[in-house]
Each structure stands twice: as structure tokens, then as C-alpha cells.
Amino acid sequence: MAQNRRDLRTLVLVSAAFASLVSLSFVATPVKFLAQEVPIAHLLAVGRVTFRASLAVECCLLLGLLLTTSARSRWLAYGAATMLAFQWLVLTPPLDERTLARIAGNVLAPSSLHHWWILLDVARLSIYAIIMRLAWRMLFPSERRKGPNG
């Protein structure tokens, strides 16, 4: 019974992490640039604040995952945490400098930093999906794939 509660908490936490990452990275971020009559500098400033808030939320959810997951899922959560740390410690400083320069009106050469950010977001989404699947299988063992005859 305790294991089922733990798996349910894991499923809820990883679902929340998955949903927040999808909604922020793949919906809210690009859509805000569709707002007409809002200066790009304002949109970029909002983006800086939004990303910092999302970091706090995802860190809390990852901590919850690390506390509730099984050993196999915990290693996956460590992988997600490592990717998130890389994004914030390695990619954020130069991206932040670019954002501030753009807000100041500077024209910047293209950069691959955003591509790396997106790649890591997709990788974390994949990890969260795997953890969700593992938690689901623990909660509902009868839902496991049946063989060709069953």
C-alpha cells in the first residue's frame, strides 16, 4: 500500500513536471512573440522573469521526484536534474547576455544556444515520459502489455 502511494505521488509529480515544461517551453514561450503591438524588449523582459519562475517550479518538482521515485526512476530524475543544471549554469548566462543586448536594441548574430536549450527540454520531456510510464506500470501492473495471445 505504501509503495502504491509512493508511485501515485511520483506519477502526479512527473505529470506536473511534464505539463509545466510543455506549457512553458513549447506553448507560452513562442506564443508570447505573437502578441502584436508589444515591443520585443518587453516580451524578452517577461521571458527572463518567466524562465526564472519556471526553474524554481521545476526544481521543486524534481526534488519531489528524487524523494518519491524508485531506484531506476531516480537515476532518470538525476539525468533530468543534470540537464536542467546544465541549462541554467552553462546556457543561461550567455543567453541572458544576448537577451539584455537585444533589449538594449543591439542586433545580434544568430546563435545555436537556443537549439541546445530546446534539445535539452525535449530530452527532459522524454525522461519525464519514461518515469511516468514506469510509475503507471507500478500502479497498474495489469495494464502491462499483453502478449500476442492475450
Side-chain angles (χ1 to χ4, degrees), residues 12 56 116:
V12 168
W116 283 104

Side-chain angles (χ1 to χ4, degrees), residues 15-124:
S15 298
F18 188 87
S20 66
L21 184 58
V22 167
S23 66
L24 177 73
S25 295
F26 300 104
V27 178
T29 298
V31 168
K32 77 174 171 246
F33 290 101
L34 298 176
Q36 295 183 5
E37 300 181 26
V38 178
I40 191 77
H42 293 165
L43 296 171
L44 291 169
V46 167
R48 290 180 74 226
V49 173
T50 305
F51 273 98
R52 281 171 177 69
S54 73
L55 170 65
V57 169
E58 192 170 352
C59 284
C60 290
L61 291 169
L62 269 169
L63 179 60
L65 278 176
L66 290 170
L67 296 173
T68 64
T69 57
S70 64
R72 181 170 37 168
S73 294
R74 190 169 298 120
W75 283 107
L76 290 167
Y78 284 139
T82 301
M83 289 178 206
L84 189 62
F86 181 83
Q87 281 177 293
W88 286 97
L89 297 174
V90 176
L91 295 178
T92 295
L95 282 170
D96 202 40
E97 286 177 24
R98 291 178 60 81
T99 300
L100 292 173
R102 184 78 166 96
I103 289 171
N106 297 331
V107 176
L108 304 171
S111 167
S112 64
L113 294 172
H114 285 95
H115 296 110
W116 283 104
W117 189 281
I118 293 166
L119 178 70
L120 290 168
D121 275 356
V122 169
R124 281 201 330 281

